[in-house]
C-alpha cells in the first residue's frame, strides 16, 4: 500500500472515531504494540472506537483498505496473542483497542450477563455482587484488568474448578467470509433487529426486552462438561488445553480470528467457603490429596492452587508491590497503574534507560513490612511444596478429618485451616507470583537473558508431575518457578535463564520434553506468537477466518492473505 493510501486509510479512521482516538506515533502506540511479557511489532494505526457501531465502521474501513486487523482488549496476555509480531506482514496492520467499549448487561435475573468488548472481570465481579453471584473467574487475571471477552477468545480461566475455562456458544461477532466480505453473525440469542447498524445500536443502548432474550437448550453459556472431565483422575490425557476441539466454538477459542462485539455468559452463585493451607516435602502427598478431593468428596473443591518454594520466595520479594497495591487500592486500579508505568518506561527507553522503574519500585517495597501471614512463612521454611485449597463450608469438616488422618500417617507434610485474612492473602500471593519473574528479569538484566514461560497441561493420571530437567539445561537456568492450578494439572513453569542463553532454543528443548511426557501446551493462555498451533486449533482459525484477515500469524501460521505459505 502506498503512502497516499496509508494516509487515506488513517483519515477514514479519524473521521469515524475522532482524531484523538487514532494513534500512529510509535511512542503513543507502544503500550498497544507490545505484549506484557512477549512480542511486539509495527502498526499502521491503533484505533480506539467509542461504541459498537464505530467498531463496526472501523472494521469496514480496515477490511475495505485490505488491512490486517488485530483486536485487543486489555492486553494482559502472556504470549503476544493480541499484539503484532515482527515486521513481515504482507498488509498494513490496524490494531483496534476495545478499552472504551465497557458494558455489562445483566439478564435472566442475574443468572446470565451480556458483556461488551471492554468489560473487565473486575467490573463484572463488582456488578454481580448485588445479585450475590460471581463470574467464571474472580481472581488472577481479574487482578490485572483482564477482559471478559479476552478470556472467552483464549479459553482462559480454570482456577475455579467447578466452572472450568471461559466458554460460551452465544456470541455476536463479525468475520470476513470466503468472498472477502465483512459480515455480522448474531448468535447471542437476543433479537436485536436485522441490519448490523440496528443490531449494534440496540445492543449498545440496552434497547431490548426480556422477551427478546431466547433461552435455548441447544447453546450453552459456560462449560458443561469440565467438572466431569477434571474428576477423571485416571485418564491419560489432560483435562483442558487450548487445542481441545471440544472447547473450540465460534468465538470461544477464536484468539482474535473474528471481531467479537459481545458474549453471553452464565454467572454463578456465591458459595461460603474456607481455605486450607497444605505443605509437604513429597509430591506424592499432594497427589493423594488431589485424588481424594476429586474422587471421594461429595462436591469438588472450589479452587486448588500449587506453589513451589522457589516460586513462593520470588513472589514474596518480586511480587510484593503488586500484592500490596491490590491490598490497598483493589484490583480496579491495577490497569491504570500498569498504563502509567508503561508510559514512564517508554519515555526512559528513548534515552536508553531500561528497568529503572522496576528497580525503584523494588527498592521501595524492600522497606515495607512483611506482607505474608506468619503461618504461611513458617510452612515455607518447613516444606518445599504448597497447596492452597478453597473448600465449600459444608465439606470443611470432612476435608479436615481426611487431612488430619493422612498427616498422622505421613509425616512429610502438614496443614492448617486459614482464618479469613490468611486465606485471602494465600490466594493473592499465588497470583502475585505470576508476574514476579518479569520483575526479577527487569531488575537483573546484567545476568538474565530472558524468561522462558511455559503454560502446560499434564495428563490427569500423571503422578510424577514435578519435572526433572537434564543437567545441561538445569545449568543454564537461574531460577525455576513452578506454580499452577493443581487439581486440573495445569502448571505455569517460568524459567529465568542466564545471560547468553538462547531462550527460544531452550523453549524448543522444553517442548520435546513435554511431548515425551504426554503434556499439552499451551493450556490456557493460547498460542499467541509463542507456541505452534496444533491441527485442530489451526483448522478452527481457518474456518473462522478463511481470508486470513484477523490476527494473522498466531500459532506460527501463515502471515499471508488466504493462508498462502
Amino acid at each position: 500500500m502506498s503512502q497516499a493510501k496509508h494516509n487515506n486509510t488513517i483519515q477514514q479512521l479519524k473521521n469515524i472515531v475522532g482524531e484523538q482516538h487514532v494513534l500512529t506515533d510509535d511512542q503513543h502506540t507502544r503500550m498497544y504494540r507490545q505484549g506484557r511479557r512477549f512480542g511486539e511489532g509495527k502498526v499502521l494505526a491503533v484505533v480506539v472506537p467509542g461504541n459498537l457501531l464505530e467498531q463496526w465502521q472501523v472494521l469496514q474501513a480496515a477490511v475495505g483498505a485490505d488491512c490486517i486487523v488485530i483486536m485487543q482488549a486489555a492486553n494482559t496476555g502472556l504470549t503476544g496473542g493480541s499484539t503484532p509480531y515482527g515486521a513481515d506482514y504482507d498488509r498494513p496492520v490496524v490494531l483496534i483497542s476495545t478499552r472504551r467499549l465497557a458494558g455489562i448487561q445483566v439478564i435472566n435475573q442475574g443468572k446470565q450477563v451480556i458483556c461488551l468488548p471492554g468489560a473487565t472481570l473486575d467490573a463484572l465481579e463488582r456488578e454481580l455482587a448485588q445479585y450475590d453471584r460471581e463470574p467464571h473467574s474472580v481472581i488472577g487475571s481479574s487482578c490485572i484488568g483482564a477482559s471478559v471477552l479476552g478470556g472467552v477468545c483464549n479459553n482462559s480461566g480454570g482456577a475455579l474448578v467447578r466452572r472450568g475455562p471461559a466458554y460460551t456458544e452465544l456470541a455476536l461477532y463479525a468475520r470476513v467470509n470466503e468472498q472477502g466480505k465483512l459480515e455480522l453473525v448474531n448468535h447471542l440469542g437476543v433479537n436485536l433487529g436485522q441490519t448490523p447498524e440496528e443490531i449494534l445500536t440496540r445492543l449498545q443502548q440496552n434497547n431490548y426486552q426480556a422477551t427478546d432474550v431466547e433461552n435455548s437448550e441447544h447453546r450453552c453459556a459456560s462449560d458443561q462438561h469440565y467438572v466431569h472431565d477434571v474428576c477423571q483422575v485416571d485418564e491419560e490425557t489432560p483435562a483442558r488445553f487450548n487445542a481441545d476441539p471440544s472447547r473450540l466454538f465460534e468465538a470461544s477459542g477464536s484468539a482474535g480470528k473474528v471481531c467479537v462485539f459481545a458474549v453471553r455468559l452464565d454467572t454463578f452463585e456465591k458459595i461460603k467457603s474456607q481455605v486450607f493451607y497444605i505443605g509437604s516435602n513429597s509430591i506424592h502427598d499432594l497427589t493423594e490429596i488431589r485424588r481424594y478431593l476429586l474422587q471421594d468428596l461429595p462436591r469438588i473443591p472450589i479452587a486448588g492452587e500449587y506453589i513451589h518454594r522457589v516460586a513462593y520466595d520470588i513472589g514474596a520479594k518480586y511480587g510484593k508491590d503488586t500484592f500490596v497495591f491490590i491490598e490497598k487500592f483493589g484490583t480496579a486500579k491495577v490497569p491504570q497503574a500498569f498504563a502509567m508505568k508503561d508510559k514512564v518506561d517508554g519515555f526512559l527507553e528513548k534515552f536508553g534507560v531500561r528497568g529503572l522503574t522496576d528497580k525503584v519500585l523494588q527498592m521501595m517495597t524492600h522497606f515495607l513490612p512483611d506482607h505474608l501471614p506468619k503461618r504461611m512463612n513458617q510452612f515455607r521454611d518447613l516444606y518445599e511444596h504448597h497447596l492452597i485449597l478453597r473448600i465449600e463450608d459444608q465439606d470443611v469438616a470432612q476435608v479436615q478429618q481426611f487431612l488430619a488422618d493422612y498427616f498422622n500417617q505421613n509425616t512429610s507434610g502438614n496443614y492448617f485451616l486459614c482464618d479469613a485474612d490468611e486465606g485471602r492473602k494465600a490466594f493473592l500471593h499465588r497470583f502475585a507470583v505470576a508476574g514476579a519473574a518479569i520483575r526479577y528479569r527487569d531488575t537483573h538484566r546484567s545476568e538474565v537473558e530472558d524468561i522462558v514461560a511455559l503454560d502446560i497441561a499434564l495428563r490427569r493420571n500423571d503422578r510424577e508431575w514435578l519435572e526433572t530437567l537434564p543437567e545441561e539445561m538445569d545449568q543454564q537456568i537461574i531460577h525455576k518457578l513452578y506454580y499452577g492450578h493443581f487439581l486440573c494439572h495445569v502448571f505455569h513453569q517460568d524459567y529465568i535463564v542466564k545471560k547468553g542463553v538462547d531462550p527460544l532454543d531452550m523453549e524448543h528443548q522444553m517442548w520435546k520434553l513435554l511431548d515425551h511426557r504426554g503434556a499439552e501446551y499451551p493450556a490456557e493462555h493460547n498460542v499467541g506468537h509463542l507456541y505452534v498451533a496444533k491441527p485442530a486449533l489451526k483448522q478452527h482459525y481457518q474456518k473462522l477466518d478463511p481470508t486470513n484477515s484477523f490476527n494473522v500469524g498466531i500459532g506460527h501460521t501463515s502471515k499471508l492473505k488466504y493462508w498462502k505459505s
Side-chain angles (χ1 to χ4, degrees):
M1 185 185 289
S2 68
Q3 188 60 48
K5 289 185 177 179
H6 283 173
N7 294 339
N8 183 58
T9 301
I10 291 169
Q11 188 58 52
Q12 278 186 277
L13 299 173
K14 289 179 178 178
N15 292 342
I16 296 167
V17 302
E19 187 167 346
Q20 70 271 35
H21 298 302
V22 178
L23 312 176
T24 56
D25 178 80
D26 279 357
Q27 182 67 22
H28 295 149
T29 61
R30 180 183 182 275
M31 66 179 287
Y32 302 93
R33 293 185 293 101
Q34 184 170 293
R36 179 146 295 177
R37 180 182 285 177
F38 177 84
E40 63 178 305
K42 297 291 185 180
V43 295
L44 175 66
V46 171
V47 190
V48 193
N51 57 55
L52 298 181
L53 183 56
E54 284 186 2
Q55 179 168 303
W56 171 256
Q57 292 168 339
V58 168
L59 266 182
Q60 287 179 309
V63 172
D66 197 26
C67 293
I68 290 166
V69 174
I70 296 177
M71 301 302 305
Q72 184 182 97
N75 194 16
T76 59
L78 302 179
T79 61
S82 62
T83 56
Y85 185 70
D88 55 341
Y89 295 99
D90 65 341
R91 291 151 286 167
V93 175
V94 171
L95 190 153
I96 302 176
S97 168
T98 63
R99 63 180 179 83
R100 295 174 64 210
L101 301 177
I104 297 167
Q105 299 171 10
V106 180
I107 61 173
N108 292 337
Q109 296 80 48
K111 294 180 180 178
Q112 288 188 325
V113 290
I114 293 174
C115 292
L116 303 191
T120 64
L121 280 169
D122 175 76
L124 180 56
E125 185 179 353
R126 287 184 277 116
E127 180 71 26
L128 290 175
Q130 60 187 304
Y131 298 89
D132 206 30
R133 298 184 73 84
E134 295 177 331
H136 79 276
S137 180
V138 296
I139 196 169
S141 294
S142 59
C143 290
I144 55 173
S147 73
V148 177
L149 266 69
V152 171
C153 293
N154 292 308
N155 292 132
S156 299
L160 297 177
V161 192
R162 301 181 184 183
R163 304 177 193 178
Y167 179 83
T168 186
E169 295 172 359
L170 299 163
L172 174 66
Y173 62 93
R175 68 189 291 264
V176 176
N177 63 24
E178 289 81 354
Q179 291 74 42
K181 302 295 184 183
L182 186 66
E183 59 183 20
L184 188 68
V185 180
N186 184 7
H187 287 165
L188 200 58
V190 182
N191 180 16
L192 295 164
Q194 300 300 318
T195 68
E197 291 75 14
E198 182 185 8
I199 292 169
L200 296 171
T201 301
R202 286 184 60 187
L203 179 61
Q204 181 81 56
Q205 297 173 352
N206 201 356
N207 181 20
Y208 55 90
Q209 307 301 317
T211 53
D212 292 318
V213 179
E214 302 167 0
N215 293 296
S216 169
E217 296 180 359
H218 302 295
R219 287 183 179 247
C220 60
S222 61
D223 192 327
Q224 303 296 300
H225 306 289
Y226 183 67
V227 171
H228 170 269
D229 293 348
V230 78
C231 289
Q232 307 309 302
V233 295
D234 291 314
E235 291 294 319
E236 293 190 348
T237 55
R240 62 183 173 94
F241 54 97
N242 282 133
D244 182 354
S246 69
R247 293 186 171 94
L248 300 175
F249 188 92
E250 296 181 355
S252 295
S254 61
K257 297 303 287 185
V258 293
C259 171
V260 184
F261 288 86
V263 294
R264 178 173 161 186
L265 296 165
D266 289 333
T267 67
F268 301 87
E269 183 182 357
K270 275 189 177 178
I271 298 172
K272 292 183 178 179
S273 61
Q274 297 182 56
V275 174
F276 287 90
Y277 199 96
I278 300 166
S280 176
N281 288 315
S282 168
I283 66 169
H284 302 297
D285 287 346
L286 300 194
T287 295
E288 293 307 314
I289 292 169
R290 170 179 173 266
R291 292 177 66 86
Y292 170 80
L293 294 172
L294 293 178
Q295 288 185 302
D296 300 324
L297 202 62
R299 289 154 292 273
I300 66 173
I302 295 169
E305 295 296 311
Y306 169 78
I307 312 177
H308 186 271
R309 178 188 276 155
V310 174
Y312 184 105
D313 290 347
I314 298 293
K317 184 174 181 179
Y318 295 94
K320 186 176 182 179
D321 60 325
T322 299
F323 183 107
V324 172
F325 187 91
I326 293 171
E327 277 276 283
K328 187 170 180 61
F329 299 107
T331 58
K333 300 292 184 182
V334 174
Q336 295 97 305
F338 272 112
M340 182 179 295
K341 179 180 178 297
D342 186 83
K343 286 183 179 179
V344 175
D345 286 341
F347 175 78
L348 293 174
E349 283 183 14
K350 289 198 299 184
F351 302 96
V353 179
R354 297 185 69 192
L356 181 60
T357 56
D358 292 283
K359 290 178 181 177
V360 171
L361 287 169
Q362 197 58 40
M363 184 173 61
M364 291 169 59
T365 55
H366 174 74
F367 295 103
L368 295 175
D370 196 349
H371 59 297
L372 296 178
K374 182 179 179 181
R375 288 200 289 181
M376 280 175 57
N377 285 334
Q378 289 173 339
F379 265 46
R380 177 263 166 231
D381 295 338
L382 291 169
Y383 304 114
E384 181 180 359
H385 308 287
H386 299 242
L387 179 61
I388 313 164
L389 294 175
R390 184 173 295 281
I391 303 293
E392 188 170 339
D393 271 1
Q394 59 184 317
D395 298 321
V396 166
Q398 181 176 337
V399 172
Q400 190 163 17
Q401 186 64 55
F402 168 78
L403 292 174
D405 292 344
Y406 182 88
F407 285 119
N408 279 338
Q409 300 176 37
N410 301 272
T411 57
S412 50
N414 207 341
Y415 79 97
F416 63 87
L417 184 61
C418 298
D419 61 33
D421 186 62
E422 289 172 324
R424 178 176 51 80
K425 289 183 175 180
F427 274 96
L428 182 52
H429 177 54
R430 152 64 185 91
F431 290 105
V433 167
I438 300 173
R439 169 60 57 78
Y440 187 99
R441 176 197 65 190
D442 292 343
T443 54
H444 295 78
R445 288 193 177 274
S446 62
E447 55 196 80
V448 175
E449 186 65 36
D450 209 340
I451 301 165
V452 173
L454 295 179
D455 164 35
I456 67 171
L458 297 181
R459 293 176 288 115
R460 282 169 281 182
N461 67 348
D462 195 340
R463 292 175 176 269
E464 301 299 326
W465 46 267
L466 186 69
E467 71 177 4
T468 302
L469 291 177
E471 180 66 22
E472 61 271 19
M473 290 181 69
D474 211 33
Q475 292 298 318
Q476 297 177 315
I477 298 169
I478 300 173
H479 292 298
K480 302 187 290 283
L481 280 68
Y482 299 131
Y483 55 98
H485 314 307
F486 186 68
L487 298 182
C488 53
H489 265 198
V490 166
F491 290 87
H492 303 300
Q493 301 184 171
D494 296 344
Y495 307 89
I496 303 173
V497 300
K498 294 179 180 179
K499 201 73 174 177
V501 174
D502 183 345
L504 193 58
D505 180 63
M506 175 169 283
E507 178 150 2
H508 292 168
Q509 293 181 58
M510 296 283 188
W511 291 353
K512 292 178 182 178
L513 297 176
L514 292 172
D515 290 340
H516 182 71
R517 296 173 67 189
E520 291 282 355
Y521 50 91
E524 61 180 4
H525 290 158
N526 221 304
V527 290
H529 290 283
L530 194 58
Y531 298 94
V532 176
K534 293 189 176 179
L537 198 56
K538 184 177 179 181
Q539 289 169 16
H540 183 54
Y541 295 159
Q542 290 177 320
K543 182 179 178 181
L544 291 174
D545 184 20
T547 65
N548 204 19
S549 298
F550 288 95
N551 207 12
V552 309
I554 58 166
H556 292 238
T557 58
S558 170
K559 286 188 171 182
L560 304 180
K561 197 169 183 179
Y562 293 109
W563 300 89
K564 293 177 182 176
S565 58

